[in-house]
Amino acid sequence: MRRLLGLALLGAGLLPGIALGQAAPPAGETLRIIAGFSPGGTSDIMARLMAEAMAPVLGQRVLVENRTGANGFIAAEAVARGPVDGSVVFQCPMGTMTISPELPGLTLPVDPGQDLIPVANATLSRYGVAVGARSPYRSLQDVLAEGRKRPGALSYASAGGGSAQHLSGERLSRMAGLQLLHVPYRGAAPAMLDVIAGRADLIISNLGDMIRQVEGGELRLLAVGDSGELEGYPGLAKLPEVVPGLEVVGWFGFCGPRGMAPEAVARWSGAVRTALENPELRKKLLGNGLTPLFEDQAAFGARMARDRRLWGETIRAAGIRAD
């Protein structure tokens, strides 16, 4: 993985950033959100919806630029080494900010806790537990009962070793007293395909990545990962109620480079808050499995620190390494 990360960074041709030292970009300049994942995914959709809604608030065009690779760190480095005047921010996902820095054996080009600062959170990425539509398991309780009866017989798919899906399965195993078999894939899409086909028993993933398969009848949603109601699914089980103390929820917010002007932080944060008051934007976010949630710099920073501790504990307890 270290070799692949190095090759990805070399191939990206990133240039050293220049700290411009000005409080705000020149009037009329296009603002940029650097996103670390491919167009069409939940992360990219959130970035584009927010960019469109924030542009009139900021009074400037906001462009989403995808710099994919290295689990978001191509994009993270571009922002960390870029201008500090507020013209560029990083669309920062939970995994990049809190999981990758805790994985032993993974060499990162930047330290999210040192080289990037929180600006504002915009959405929660709700998770769910799902099985294939032809699965014999009709409820999460069925899965837990079978898992306790046959240790190691049930498998769960993930987007790869060290991913949020992997760690969520580890937490479920540990907290529910199970022994589940982890089956890693190269991304969430192939993982879900094998769950649909019955080659893996279940998956714990963000709703944005699997809601279309649930609505299309290919996956059966057994539980939502937090204690909130899921619109359109009355009576759906809630993971914290079935397994007390276990909650799985992600987020997508915005971060800036260390040294970003406070006025620029306040400007972006205010734009996020105002944009999220738009009913049409909220509807679009909810339709993509995202729950609108504004958190200012302090609250977002506290969430990051708390989640980094939680995922770090899970990684160490399970002995997970990036290599």
Side-chain angles (χ1 to χ4, degrees), residues 225-247:
D226 57 76
S227 56
E229 297 292 337
L230 183 61
E231 186 177 349
Y233 296 86
L236 182 66
K238 301 172 181 65
L239 192 55
E241 295 178 0
V242 180
V243 183
L246 177 58
E247 180 178 73

Side-chain angles (χ1 to χ4, degrees), residues 50-131:
M50 290 300 300
E52 182 182 10
M54 287 192 292
V57 180
L58 293 163
Q60 290 173 260
R61 185 183 178 212
V62 182
L63 175 70
V64 176
E65 182 179 329
N66 300 88
R67 296 202 186 185
T68 61
N71 196 30
F73 278 93
I74 299 292
E77 185 178 27
V79 173
R81 307 207 190 289
V84 297
D85 63 346
S87 59
V88 182
V89 293
F90 175 46
Q91 192 259 3
C92 46
M94 178 189 70
T96 305
M97 300 301 294
T98 66
I99 294 177
S100 293
E102 294 294 314
L103 278 171
L106 185 61
T107 301
L108 304 176
V110 294
D111 181 347
Q114 297 296 322
D115 301 317
L116 294 165
I117 63 169
V119 171
N121 193 17
T123 62
L124 293 182
S125 176
R126 301 183 72 183
Y127 274 59
V129 183
V131 297

Side-chain angles (χ1 to χ4, degrees), residues 252-293:
F252 295 106
F254 298 99
C255 297
R258 175 68 58 184
M260 183 173 175
E263 309 95 285
V265 171
R267 186 167 179 247
W268 276 101
S269 181
V272 172
R273 180 199 291 269
T274 301
L276 290 177
E277 294 171 356
N278 184 323
E280 188 61 30
L281 172 64
R282 297 179 67 86
K283 181 179 178 181
K284 290 177 181 178
L285 290 171
L286 288 167
N288 284 280
L290 297 165
T291 301
L293 176 70

Side-chain angles (χ1 to χ4, degrees), residues 19 27 45 48 64 95 115 129 131 133 172 188-189 196 199 204 232 235 255 257 271 276 295 299 305 309 322:
I45 289 171
R48 292 180 186 280
V64 176
D115 301 317
V129 183
V131 297
L172 175 62
I196 291 169
R199 289 186 285 270
I204 305 173
C255 297
L276 290 177
E295 290 177 323
R309 286 195 301 271

Side-chain angles (χ1 to χ4, degrees), residues 287-312:
N288 284 280
L290 297 165
T291 301
L293 176 70
F294 172 76
E295 290 177 323
D296 65 13
Q297 185 178 43
F300 191 26
R303 178 182 291 276
M304 283 188 194
R306 182 174 63 249
D307 284 0
R308 185 164 173 171
R309 286 195 301 271
L310 182 151
W311 293 120

Side-chain angles (χ1 to χ4, degrees), residues 4 18 22 45 53 66 82 103 126 132 137 146 156 168 178 183 199 216 219 274 276 292:
L4 290 175
I18 301 173
Q22 56 193 83
I45 289 171
N66 300 88
L103 278 171
R126 301 183 72 183
Y137 308 115
E146 188 68 14
Y156 72 96
S168 297
L178 307 176
V183 184
R199 289 186 285 270
L219 288 175
T274 301
L276 290 177

